[in-house]
């Protein structure tokens, strides 16, 4: 008995997801075969919708499934404060907070080793937005690693020539952390960023 | 900004898979949004195919995506030897070996606590196959746990009344195991099943 072609196609597709190896993909394919038909068709429909109706907002780079961007085209939001993220998914983390400003997605981070330069990212459009849309504060929200830091410093430098306040997320101990297990770099940042009580 | 409806539908579907929690489902949904459109459409197609073209063989209970069962309808296989499994997916483990016999899937295991009795499983069809198809050996291949043992003993009893050889998979130390870490039940089975060298 050969593997069913239908099943093998499922395994192939599941294997493309992040963190899913051959064994997990196989288990998921079997789960699909055991699932109620309507659930599987719903799943297929959700994927088809995602492939056909979701696009990126040409202004901020976040995902939209409607003609207008739910952030850029919302007059109730504060269009003077803009969080800059590297990937669109990072923006959604701020939405669970009370943040009511807007976003700008770069589409990646500067990386000389991967050959990603300023021209490969949405940096030029960011400068244009700062000039044209009355943005007063740009909050740099890259991940705190080498590429994130490089990108943030680069942006801080070129944004410094514009009339705009540039800030960066605070670094330090994450809430609930234990001093005992904190790495020295984080501890150093926490000490640097200490506040008067 | 509300979550995109399209994205939420993806998260809901991914959450129904085994071992996928809310966070993993979210990560997978974002991965889908970042994937190439053709890959996502292929994924959707594979799911749709699985939902519409895969059915269970009415004789052995394994998955088929063609009109004839690749096992039952294959004259090159040994139809006198039948492995009995509880779930269809268990059968595929034997296909990676050189096993060339046929299968019978029960669709579950006897479980008084879950209210699953002999009538809820494909036991009657198994007895009929043994009588009508010239099966000479039934190999019981249930998982070695309480429900699996109960089911195997029950089947051994009722099959004992037919003219058929009933065997069970050997229990013992798994290959590559370390005696030091083996549980006592496994060790006991290994000692019981010792062989002359």
């Amino acid at each position: 008995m050969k593997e069913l072609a239908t099943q093998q196609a499922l395994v192939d597709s599941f294997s493309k997801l992040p963190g899913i190896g051959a064994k997990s993909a196989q288990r998921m394919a079997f789960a699909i075969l055991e699932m109620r038909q309507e659930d599987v068709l719903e799943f297929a429909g959700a994927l088809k919708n995602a492939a056909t109706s979701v696009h990126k907002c040409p202004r901020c780079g976040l995902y939209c499934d409607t003609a207008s961007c739910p952030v850029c085209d919302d007059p109730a939001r504060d269009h003077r404060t803009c969080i800059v993220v590297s990937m669109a998914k990072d923006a959604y983390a701020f939405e669970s907070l009370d943040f009511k400003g807007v976003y700008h997605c770069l589409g990646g981070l500067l990386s000389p080793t991967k050959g990603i330069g300023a021209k490969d990212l949405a940096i030029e459009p960011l400068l244009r937005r700062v000039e044209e849309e009355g943005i007063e504060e740009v909050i740099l929200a890259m991940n705190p690693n080498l590429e994130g830091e490089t990108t943030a410093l680069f942006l801080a430098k070129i944004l410094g020539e514009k009339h705009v306040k540039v800030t960066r997320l605070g670094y330090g101990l994450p809430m609930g952390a234990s001093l005992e297990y904190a790495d020295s770099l984080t501890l150093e940042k926490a000490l640097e960023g200490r506040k008067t009580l």
Side-chain angles (χ1 to χ4, degrees), chain A:
Chain A
M1 172 177 55
K2 288 174 299 182
E3 290 271 302
L4 298 188
T6 324
Q7 191 195 346
Q8 195 50 51
L10 282 177
V11 172
D12 290 347
S13 282
F14 275 118
S15 304
K16 289 182 186 142
L17 293 170
I20 301 301
K23 271 276 173 192
S24 302
Q26 193 104 41
R27 208 176 60 209
M28 287 178 182
F30 276 122
I32 291 291
L33 293 178
E34 292 289 335
M35 239 182 226
R36 287 186 310 164
Q37 194 190 36
E38 60 198 85
D39 282 348
V40 181
L41 289 175
E42 203 175 280
F43 196 167
L47 286 168
K48 203 174 157 207
N49 265 349
T52 51
S53 75
V54 175
H55 60 278
K56 289 192 174 174
C57 167
R59 201 195 294 185
C60 70
L62 298 197
Y63 304 111
C64 310
D65 56 1
T66 44
S68 67
C69 172
V71 176
C72 293
D73 298 334
D74 183 350
R77 296 190 76 114
D78 170 16
H79 288 260
R80 291 162 305 174
T81 311
C82 179
I83 289 187
V84 178
V85 291
S86 73
M87 302 301 287
K89 59 184 172 184
D90 296 336
Y92 296 87
F94 293 99
E95 285 297 300
S96 56
L97 310 179
D98 246 354
F99 180 71
K100 286 291 165 225
V102 294
Y103 299 97
H104 186 85
C105 170
L106 297 174
L109 291 170
L110 291 176
S111 171
T113 54
K114 291 179 197 156
I116 302 172
K119 295 236 175 300
D120 304 307
L121 306 178
I123 291 178
E124 198 56 44
L126 173 63
L127 296 179
R128 219 175 314 127
R129 284 185 72 187
V130 166
E131 278 171 4
E132 293 170 6
E133 293 179 20
I135 292 174
E136 293 172 9
E137 180 176 357
V138 168
I139 303 170
L140 301 176
M142 281 90 231
N143 280 332
N145 54 30
L146 185 63
E147 294 175 353
E149 289 294 275
T150 310
T151 311
L153 291 176
F154 178 80
L155 287 178
K157 188 159 167 278
I158 56 170
L159 286 167
E161 299 161 10
K162 315 275 170 192
H163 290 289
V164 65
K165 186 173 163 192
V166 181
T167 57
R168 196 167 65 169
L169 292 184
Y171 294 160
L173 292 169
M175 299 306 290
S178 158
L179 270 173
E180 192 180 352
Y181 300 115
D183 63 297
S184 58
L185 211 59
T186 301
L187 220 49
E188 203 179 299
K189 292 286 180 189
L191 205 57
E192 265 176 42
R194 67 190 181 276
K195 294 205 171 167
T196 316
L197 277 180

